[in-house]
Amino acid sequence: MGIDIKKHHVRNKNRQAPKSEDVYLLLLVKLYRFLARRTDSAFNKVVLKRLFMSRINRPPMSISRIARNLAGKQGKTAVVVGTVTDDIRLLEVPKLSIACLRITKTAKARVVKAGGEVITFDQLALRAPTGANTVLLRGKKNTREAVKHFGMGPGAHAKPYVQSKGRKFEKARGRRASRGFKV
């Protein structure tokens, strides 16, 4: 019997632990690693995987988007593995129950004032060890400013890195029909 060369020394590139050395995050990883192993709940496996993620892969989520996702779901807890931010465009905050890694000061104050609650992941593990009555949410990844600049090339409409927008800035050949051609 020979060695399967194709599968020899193949490394799994998925993260097995967070890069961060934050002791509180590492304790959460320890807790959810246990829950993922000992319960057959897919919720715990997903939460564990998201705890490993980099900050770019854990985008923030506003309370307005959480409120929209929890509309008509009484008694459910929104679970966000990331930061929850405030949204001043949301005039009246409904009663929300949120479990998250971080929450901004103003967002927390508004949620608590509306009669809601903000809990941590260790409190969530005690309350819902299998993720029952929870709604697992995550923010939009591609709303970062940097993403708007990606994919530049002929015919692409990516945002250029320009000092300012005006007549004198990147409006020469290739950008105006009167200056040779316009892409």
Side-chain angles (χ1 to χ4, degrees):
M1 186 105 176
I3 301 167
D4 186 0
I5 300 296
K6 287 276 187 214
K7 295 279 184 229
H8 201 51
H9 300 303
V10 175
R11 183 166 70 95
N12 179 7
K13 290 186 179 174
N14 300 329
R15 280 191 181 185
Q16 305 301 319
K19 280 265 170 75
S20 167
E21 292 174 1
D22 181 359
V23 287
Y24 299 107
L25 181 64
L26 295 177
L27 281 169
L28 281 182
V29 166
K30 201 175 271 192
L31 169 65
Y32 274 90
R33 220 189 271 279
F34 173 80
L35 288 173
R37 191 179 76 244
R38 293 296 298 269
T39 62
D40 14 314
S41 154
F43 171 84
N44 290 324
K45 289 182 176 64
V46 173
V47 168
L48 179 65
K49 191 170 74 175
R50 290 187 191 177
L51 285 171
F52 296 161
M53 288 181 178
S54 61
R55 262 182 69 185
I56 284 174
N57 292 321
R58 287 187 285 110
M61 197 170 195
S62 67
I63 51 174
S64 57
R65 193 169 283 278
I66 291 171
R68 205 181 315 156
N69 279 293
L70 285 187
K73 293 177 183 168
Q74 294 297 333
K76 296 230 183 241
T77 304
V79 179
V80 180
V81 186
T83 307
V84 173
T85 56
D86 191 15
D87 191 349
I88 55 169
R89 297 169 299 181
L90 184 68
L91 301 174
E92 281 192 28
V93 180
K95 187 180 176 186
L96 297 170
S97 177
I98 304 171
C100 56
L101 282 179
R102 287 180 67 245
I103 187 165
T104 62
K105 211 181 290 180
T106 49
K108 185 173 184 175
R110 290 184 74 191
V111 168
V112 171
K113 190 181 176 186
E117 58 170 356
V118 178
I119 62 171
T120 55
F121 274 93
D122 51 321
Q123 291 169 317
L124 178 72
L126 289 170
R127 191 180 295 187
T130 58
N133 291 320
T134 60
V135 180
L136 191 56
L137 303 170
R138 57 177 159 181
K140 287 188 168 181
K141 260 179 76 171
N142 291 341
T143 51
R144 280 192 314 139
E145 171 62 26
V147 176
K148 294 177 184 175
H149 299 279
F150 293 169
M152 197 57 186
H157 297 287
K159 189 176 182 180
Y161 290 106
V162 196
Q163 184 184 4
S164 180
K165 191 176 167 81
R167 175 188 56 81
K168 299 189 287 185
F169 303 96
E170 298 200 8
K171 289 282 192 278
R173 186 172 174 275
R175 278 293 179 191
R176 301 160 76 126
S178 63
R179 300 285 181 274
F181 68 98
K182 185 178 188 315
V183 175

